[in-house]
Amino acid sequence: MPTTPAVPDGKRPTLAHVAARAGVSVALVSIVMRGAYGASATTRERVLKAAEEIGYRPDTRARVLRSNRSRLLGVQFGLRHPFHTDLVEGIYAAAEPAGYQVALSAVAPSRGERQAVEALLADRCEALVLLGPEVPAARLAQLAAQVPVVSVARRLRPAPPAVDVVRTADDEGARQAVDHLVALGHRTIAHIDGGRAPGAADRRRGYRTAMHRHGLADHVQVLPGGPTEEDGARGAHTLLADAPTARPGAVLAFNDRCATGVLDTLLRAGVSVPGEISVVGFDDTSLSRLAHIDLTTVAQDVQRLAELAVGRAIARLDGEDVPDGESVVPPRLVVRGTTAPPR
């Protein structure tokens, strides 16, 4: 077999080129590329090897145009959210074995959710998986009238009909964090919240519930925050404005990014973690696992969230009878180096 591709310079390899390279018919190459029955294992291997040698790639867009289905799942994600990046990886892992491709559309400071969703619909996505959507529930209902919609990592009260919700039990995660800190001996525990970010209200409620359950209602301290490092830094500066003896011994931040802002601010102020103040994050992103951060955090089960989101979308597309309601995934606490007993 020749060692150079039998394709004219500058031309895209076609099925005919693969057939000539493998010494079989174009029809047989088509069968192999579609994964259909009709080719022996030996022939299939020879065709795939020939395709690889000449750089042939199936034209998926052309196939889409020839069919009534795109088999594309549209995923809206936040460009600046590490947790969304982890979710996207899980969605790919769940979608591709099921025969679906993933189209991504980012939300950024200069690009809103409406624009991100419209781009996915323009690409003929058959369903939408929205990570942490912040648009009103009525807007989600409008979208669900066009295509199946799965909202991930946001509680909807009540969820619009035909909008599937997959989320973590955020309140339980906050309770686990407080329980851990109380077990270490902490009594003064502050919470830098997430403002109006998805999940913030549940985490705030879980924190308050746990503090009351431990008889620490008088020590409840909720500081305005948000999902970014800057939000965490502002919350930490508020704590540092108090005298050292009046500062809390521990802080539960809204998420890992917020917690990172807290850690950076405390480090710059010469406050040791966890020697003087323990810090807990939320999400267990790759950021929290870095050796120089080593953040105690509440882990969301990314793989399970992704599997449920993709499964719900595909079930709707397949016409299955999917009951309305939420799929709620339990979190788990991951203890690392930013928490310790108080001095």
Side-chain angles (χ1 to χ4, degrees):
M1 201 174 279
T3 57
T4 57
V7 181
D9 290 342
K11 297 292 186 180
R12 179 187 176 96
T14 65
L15 290 179
H17 294 124
V18 177
R21 181 82 172 184
V24 298
S25 68
V26 172
L28 194 52
V29 172
S30 177
I31 287 173
V32 172
M33 292 303 168
R34 288 185 286 110
Y37 294 105
S40 68
T42 300
T43 299
R44 188 176 300 276
E45 181 179 355
R46 186 164 78 247
V47 168
L48 293 176
K49 182 179 180 181
E52 181 180 2
E53 288 173 344
I54 67 173
Y56 173 80
R57 296 290 183 274
D59 189 343
T60 54
R61 288 190 177 272
R63 188 167 64 243
V64 165
L65 292 173
R66 290 193 299 267
S67 69
N68 292 323
R69 296 200 55 185
S70 69
R71 301 193 73 84
L72 267 179
L73 301 181
V75 178
Q76 171 197 286
F77 71 105
L79 195 60
R80 301 177 64 187
H81 294 300
F83 176 60
H84 287 188
T85 303
D86 293 343
L87 275 172
V88 167
E89 184 176 354
I91 288 169
Y92 272 114
E96 290 181 344
Y100 284 81
Q101 296 299 312
V102 175
L104 301 178
S105 191
V107 176
S110 61
R111 191 172 193 258
E113 291 189 12
R114 181 174 292 273
Q115 185 176 354
V117 166
E118 291 300 327
L120 294 173
L121 294 176
D123 281 344
R124 293 189 62 199
C125 291
E126 293 188 324
L128 298 176
V129 179
L130 310 179
L131 308 187
E134 298 186 22
V135 295
R139 170 61 177 162
L140 297 178
Q142 290 175 354
L143 292 172
Q146 303 175 54
V147 295
V149 172
V150 183
S151 170
V152 182
R154 175 189 172 185
R155 181 199 286 267
L156 294 171
R157 288 182 166 177
V163 175
D164 292 298
V165 175
V166 176
R167 66 177 182 88
T168 294
D170 290 292
D171 51 351
E172 173 59 24
R175 287 197 293 268
Q176 289 181 15
V178 172
D179 290 348
H180 166 65
L181 293 168
V182 170
L184 289 174
H186 290 282
R187 295 181 59 79
T188 54
I189 304 167
H191 175 43
I192 300 176
D193 76 359
R196 301 184 65 179
D202 283 349
R203 295 178 195 182
R204 191 162 49 240
R205 182 175 60 254
Y207 160 78
R208 290 182 181 276
T209 299
M211 292 291 283
H212 280 78
R213 192 178 70 239
H214 287 292
L216 302 176
D218 292 341
H219 296 289
V220 168
Q221 184 179 10
V222 178
L223 301 174
T228 69
E229 293 88 349
E230 293 80 9
D231 294 318
R234 280 194 296 271
H237 281 300
T238 300
L239 295 176
L240 292 174
D242 294 330
T245 55
R247 294 171 188 164
V251 175
L252 168 61
F254 168 68
N255 65 7
D256 291 348
R257 287 184 66 194
C258 182
T260 302
V262 173
L263 292 174
D264 181 71
T265 302
L266 296 180
L267 175 65
R268 293 175 186 273
V271 177
S272 68
V273 176
E276 296 176 69
I277 298 180
S278 288
V279 177
V280 181
F282 206 113
D283 289 342
D284 191 32
T285 60
S286 55
L287 185 71
S288 69
R289 301 171 211 140
L290 296 175
H292 67 287
I293 295 180
D294 197 30
L295 179 67
T296 294
T297 185
V298 178
Q300 301 199 57
D301 190 339
V302 170
Q303 180 178 351
R304 184 59 179 153
L305 290 169
E307 289 173 349
L308 285 169
V310 171
R312 281 277 186 143
I314 293 176
R316 294 276 186 187
L317 291 172
D318 289 345
E320 296 181 17
D321 186 15
V322 181
D324 292 335
E326 296 182 321
S327 296
V328 183
V329 179
R332 63 182 177 86
L333 183 74
V334 179
V335 179
R336 296 194 179 98
T338 58
T339 53
R343 287 182 176 176

